[in-house]
């Protein structure tokens, strides 16, 4: 039956009031500490807050939510929906530079009428507003309100398909954020797709550590189970990063059916979970392990499945998927019970935008299918000619359908270009995703980002392929992050220079770097040579960084544009730099250890 989130939340509060809607799990010294919220309590709290909001806001006003992971956020978000105001989830207030810059940009752009937070974050939120010059905006700690219950005859604001319900700010930008206008129509449609993709129903239990302001954490792992009357278990991102085994242990302890995370999380677990911790794991209840939000690695999936096989995990538990905030969340997925499809393709052909599977035993590049597209239209389009490409040929992924959001808040020109694109054949109303992909046997393979594509010596190279190859070349890179980009080369067109006037820069975190500068220089020279041989083009520049220096979004995506800017502007604190002579003269005073 068609999904209507608001009506379902009201009905759940009436029909299954004692069922746990959300359980927040904190990691304590003696084990997990649970804080439950039932559907009856959620409905009661949402009604009380909605009554309070209606006295202060008009339908359609924007309200910013500044909370950490927890139950307060869940109740306040539902209250905004009941009141008919537009919720703007944002990162938890922080004094850290990257976080404050992002929140600053959101609060300036959103034109909010009210900021809601909790007492723990209230002072920091006030500081954020003052820094943005917006200290005239009311900022309220909702846990201090002590609201009375709503009158028994109180009714939630009826939703309209075209009315925005959430402004979802994209995670890749800091100073120039874009707010995606998620309408009731696009939200309800996508919750139906996500429920199907992960097999979520009323008896389901999901588990997530993803930030609640991020599209996968919000739409996929909070609103989807709430829509179905399931139970969502939540834990904080920091608890996961500090103790990844706790995430996996809760699967067995709470008989979890669905987990979803970016690829890096599965890689982290493979490396960090000890043999002793492995003995306490149990994946017997698991139905689906979603893998999305960044390029999905066949190697990561295989190693995770092998590592956790003794606990009952199988490769076919993985459900690779693809989506983005602009489509509310999911576009394609691998349904529960379907084995993920891994295909080895000809590397040179892929660089020429052709998907050509190779015979077993033949060297190639392994790609993971993000599954099939259901109830949405998808085209693969040449980004230059706007012509639709046939199956087996790579191009930009375009999407059309009811899950696509209404556009970007206050950005009509960008909305027109991105959300209302037309193919040269005359098909209109498509979203340009900016991602590169290919269709093969009815399945979607995502191969990279259009804006990240590197074109060197006539070859199309994806940064994550270069980054993946480098990590395999040295034990000190294992589990750490890298970022590849291209920069203008001095003397373009001169003998030995990269075509298109570009040369490659690879920035890589390293653990326990040699202290001797001569050893570092020799290591770097070897790595550049080996990497150049593997990817088939000259790697001109290598920058080694301390762990944690590669900038990422909240979902773990490498911010390659920002890393490129930092390299060009000299904003990186490098352990060692091995730069091409032209790059050293253009971007650095000298290529020496730092």
């Amino acid at each position: 039956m068609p999904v209507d989130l608001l009506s379902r939340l009201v009905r759940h509060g009436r029909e299954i009031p004692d069922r746990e809607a959300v359980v927040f799990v904190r990691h304590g010294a003696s084990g997990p500490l649970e804080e439950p919220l039932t559907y009856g309590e959620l409905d009661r709290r949402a009604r009380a807050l909605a009554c309070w909001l209606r006295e202060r806001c008009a339908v359609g006003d924007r309200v910013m939510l500044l909370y950490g992971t927890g139950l307060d956020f869940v109740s306040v978000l539902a209250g905004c929906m009941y009141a008919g105001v537009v919720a703007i989830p944002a990162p938890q207030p922080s004094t850290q530079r990257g976080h404050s810059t992002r929140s600053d940009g959101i609060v300036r752009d959103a034109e909010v009428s009210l900021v809601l937070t909790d007492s723990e974050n209230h002072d920091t939120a006030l500081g954020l507003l003052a820094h943005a010059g917006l200290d005239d905006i009311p900022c309220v700690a909702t846990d201090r309100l002590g609201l009375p219950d709503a009158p028994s005859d109180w009714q939630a604001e009826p939703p309209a398909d075209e009315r925005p319900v959430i402004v979802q700010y994209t995670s890749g930008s800091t100073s120039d954020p874009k707010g995606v206008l998620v309408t009731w129509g696009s939200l309800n449609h996508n919750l139906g797709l996500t429920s199907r993709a992960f097999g979520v129903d009323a008896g389901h239990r999901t588990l997530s550590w993803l930030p609640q302001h991020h599209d996968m954490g919000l739409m996929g792992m909070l609103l989807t189970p709430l829509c179905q009357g399931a139970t969502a278990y939540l834990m904080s991102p920091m608890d996961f990063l500090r103790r990844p085994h706790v995430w996996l242990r809760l699967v067995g302890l709470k008989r979890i059916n669905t987990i979803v995370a970016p690829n890096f999380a599965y890689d982290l677990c493979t490396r960090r979970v000890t043999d002793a911790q492995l003995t306490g794991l149990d994946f017997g209840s698991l139905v689906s392990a979603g893998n999305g939000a960044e390029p999905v690695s066949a190697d990561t999936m295989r190693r995770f499945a092998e590592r956790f096989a003794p606990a009952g995990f199988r490769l076919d538990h993985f459900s690779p998927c693809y989506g983005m905030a602009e489509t509310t969340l999911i576009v394609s997925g691998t349904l529960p019970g379907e084995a993920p499809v891994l295909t080895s393709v000809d590397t040179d052909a892929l660089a020429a935008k052709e998907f050509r599977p190779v015979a077993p035993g033949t060297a190639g590049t392994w790609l993971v299918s993000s599954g099939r597209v259901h109830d949405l239209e998808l085209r693969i389009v040449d980004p230059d000619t706007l012509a639709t490409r046939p199956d087996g040929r790579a191009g930009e992924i375009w999407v059309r359908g009811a899950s696509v959001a209404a556009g970007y808040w206050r950005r009509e020109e960008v909305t027109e270009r991105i959300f209302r694109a037309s193919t040269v054949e005359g098909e209109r109303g498509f979203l340009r995703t900016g991602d590169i992909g290919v269709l093969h046997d009815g399945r979607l393979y995502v191969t990279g980002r259009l804006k990240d594509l590197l074109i060197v010596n006539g070859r199309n190279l994806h940064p994550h392929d270069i980054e993946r190859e480098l990590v395999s070349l040295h034990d000190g890179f294992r589990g750490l992050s890298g970022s590849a980009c291209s920069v203008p080369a001095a003397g373009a067109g001169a003998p030995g220079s990269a075509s298109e006037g570009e040369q490659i820069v690879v920035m890589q975190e390293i653990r326990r770097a040699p202290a001797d500068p001569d050893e570092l220089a020799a290591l770097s020279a070897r790595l550049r040579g080996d990497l150049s041989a593997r990817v088939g083009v000259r790697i001109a520049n290598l920058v080694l960084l301390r762990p944690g220096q590669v900038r990422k979004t909240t979902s773990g995506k490498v911010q390659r544009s920002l890393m490129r800017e930092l390299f060009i502007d000299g904003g990186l604190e490098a352990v060692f730099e091995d730069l091409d002579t032209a790059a050293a003269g253009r971007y650095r005073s000298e290529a020496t250890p730092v």
Side-chain angles (χ1 to χ4, degrees):
M1 60 182 295
V3 169
D4 178 352
L5 174 63
L6 189 61
S7 295
R8 290 192 179 189
L9 287 178
V10 172
R11 191 178 73 213
H12 296 335
R14 182 178 64 249
E15 297 180 356
I16 49 173
D18 297 327
R19 180 179 297 173
E20 291 176 339
V22 181
V23 180
F24 180 52
V25 184
R26 303 177 190 273
H27 182 80
S30 59
L33 305 174
E34 297 182 20
E35 185 181 354
L37 177 69
T38 66
Y39 276 103
E41 185 66 11
L42 173 60
D43 180 64
R44 186 190 68 78
R45 293 185 189 182
R47 288 173 182 272
L49 181 65
C51 284
W52 182 86
L53 283 170
R54 278 193 181 170
E55 295 174 356
R56 292 156 180 81
C57 302
V59 171
D61 280 356
R62 288 159 304 285
V63 176
M64 191 172 187
L65 311 187
L66 291 172
Y67 294 84
T69 302
L71 302 184
D72 284 343
F73 173 86
V74 180
S75 299
V76 171
L77 176 65
C80 290
M81 292 178 172
Y82 278 36
V85 300
V86 181
I88 303 179
Q92 182 177 8
S94 172
T95 56
Q96 295 182 23
R97 182 178 177 184
H99 293 281
S100 62
T101 301
R102 173 164 160 72
S103 298
D104 243 24
I106 293 175
V107 74
R108 291 176 188 274
D109 184 72
E111 294 183 344
V112 299
S113 301
L114 179 65
V115 173
L116 300 180
T117 185
D118 54 25
S119 52
E120 179 182 351
N121 293 294
H122 189 248
D123 289 345
T124 308
L126 288 174
L128 170 68
L129 291 172
H131 184 265
L134 299 171
D135 46 3
D136 58 326
I137 297 176
C139 180
V140 178
T142 52
D143 56 337
R144 296 175 181 168
L145 289 176
L147 298 174
D149 288 350
S152 58
D153 60 348
W154 188 89
Q155 297 293 318
E157 183 68 28
D161 281 354
E162 69 280 0
R163 180 159 57 81
V165 57
I166 293 170
V167 178
Q168 176 72 52
Y169 275 86
T170 55
S171 60
S173 180
T174 53
S175 60
D176 188 29
K178 294 194 294 292
V180 177
L181 290 167
V182 178
T183 65
W184 275 110
S186 57
L187 175 62
N188 286 330
H189 184 267
N190 206 257
L191 291 179
L193 297 186
T194 308
S195 298
R196 178 181 181 183
F198 298 128
V200 179
D201 57 27
H204 227 67
R205 293 184 173 198
T206 66
L207 171 64
S208 173
W209 53 264
L210 295 164
Q212 291 178 321
H213 63 269
H214 179 259
D215 54 355
M216 184 181 282
L218 176 61
M219 314 297 183
M221 298 305 286
L222 177 61
L223 296 185
T224 295
L226 289 181
C227 181
Q228 298 298 333
T231 299
Y233 284 79
L234 305 177
M235 56 184 288
S236 79
M238 288 309 299
D239 270 353
F240 165 72
L241 292 173
R242 290 171 181 149
R243 308 172 186 88
H245 73 280
V246 172
W247 177 51
L248 301 182
R249 186 158 60 92
L250 283 172
V251 173
L253 288 176
K254 299 302 170 185
R255 308 307 296 165
I256 299 298
N257 308 117
T258 294
I259 57 175
V260 179
N263 189 84
F264 87 86
Y266 295 105
D267 179 69
L268 183 69
C269 290
T270 303
R271 292 181 291 101
R272 293 268 302 275
V273 174
T274 66
D275 290 345
Q277 292 164 347
L278 175 60
T279 60
L281 303 184
D282 177 9
F283 292 100
S285 63
L286 194 66
V287 174
S288 176
N291 190 336
E294 63 180 7
V296 180
S297 165
D299 181 58
T300 295
M301 290 171 54
R302 289 195 186 99
R303 287 189 294 107
F304 186 94
E306 181 179 354
R307 172 67 174 151
F308 296 103
F313 191 92
R314 306 184 307 274
L315 184 64
D316 60 12
H317 276 128
F318 274 118
S319 298
C321 53
Y322 167 70
M324 67 202 71
E326 285 83 352
T327 59
T328 306
L329 180 61
I330 201 163
V331 170
S332 67
T334 306
L335 300 181
E338 291 183 351
V341 177
L342 286 61
T343 306
S344 181
V345 300
D346 185 280
T347 303
D348 291 334
L350 187 63
K353 303 180 181 180
E354 182 179 351
F355 185 97
R356 187 188 301 164
V358 298
T362 305
T365 298
W366 282 97
L367 298 179
V368 178
S369 168
S370 295
R372 300 181 186 273
V373 179
H374 298 281
D375 206 23
L376 291 170
E377 296 179 79
L378 187 141
R379 303 284 184 274
I380 303 297
V381 178
D382 187 307
D384 299 317
T385 67
L386 305 187
T388 303
R389 310 211 77 185
D391 287 6
R393 300 290 293 178
E396 186 180 7
I397 300 169
W398 288 24
V399 180
R400 182 170 64 182
S403 284
V404 177
Y408 294 121
W409 163 248
R410 296 175 56 208
R411 297 187 181 226
E412 284 302 321
E413 184 178 340
V414 180
T415 294
E416 187 68 28
R417 184 176 74 252
I418 300 298
F419 283 81
R420 300 165 189 162
S422 300
T423 68
V424 73
E425 295 88 1
E427 289 192 292
R428 302 178 181 277
F430 280 92
L431 167 73
R432 299 189 64 164
T433 68
D435 290 318
I436 302 172
V438 61
L439 286 170
H440 177 75
D441 286 345
R443 296 182 176 89
L444 176 66
Y445 293 77
V446 182
T447 59
R449 284 287 295 170
L450 184 63
K451 66 179 180 180
D452 291 335
L453 187 67
L454 311 180
I455 304 176
V456 180
N457 295 337
R459 295 193 64 196
N460 296 298
L461 301 169
H462 297 294
H464 61 263
D465 290 332
I466 298 173
E467 295 154 9
R468 183 179 63 239
E469 291 293 345
L470 179 59
V471 166
S472 68
L473 293 176
H474 190 267
D475 288 342
F477 299 158
R478 284 286 181 186
L480 299 179
S481 299
S483 179
C485 67
S486 63
V487 297
S497 68
S499 65
E500 307 296 329
E502 296 286 311
Q503 58 182 210
I504 290 176
V505 178
V506 183
M507 295 155 275
Q508 173 63 47
E509 296 171 349
I510 185 171
R511 185 184 295 107
R512 296 185 298 275
D516 185 341
D518 291 337
E519 285 187 53
L520 270 172
L523 172 64
S524 179
R526 178 179 66 78
L527 291 170
R528 287 203 301 117
D530 291 348
L531 185 59
S532 298
R534 287 205 180 189
V535 301
V537 297
R538 177 173 175 261
I539 304 299
N541 310 282
L542 177 64
V543 181
L544 300 178
L545 304 168
R546 295 179 181 87
Q549 294 302 299
V550 172
R551 276 44 164 198
K552 295 181 178 181
T553 69
T554 55
S555 63
K557 296 178 184 176
V558 173
Q559 293 179 295
R560 296 188 179 93
S561 296
L562 176 57
M563 291 300 296
R564 182 179 185 274
E565 291 174 12
L566 290 171
F567 172 78
I568 291 175
D569 296 339
L572 295 170
E573 298 180 8
V575 174
F576 184 79
E577 296 176 321
D578 185 0
L579 305 183
D580 177 83
T581 304
R586 187 165 184 166
Y587 306 115
R588 299 287 190 281
S589 59
E590 55 183 18
T592 57
V594 177

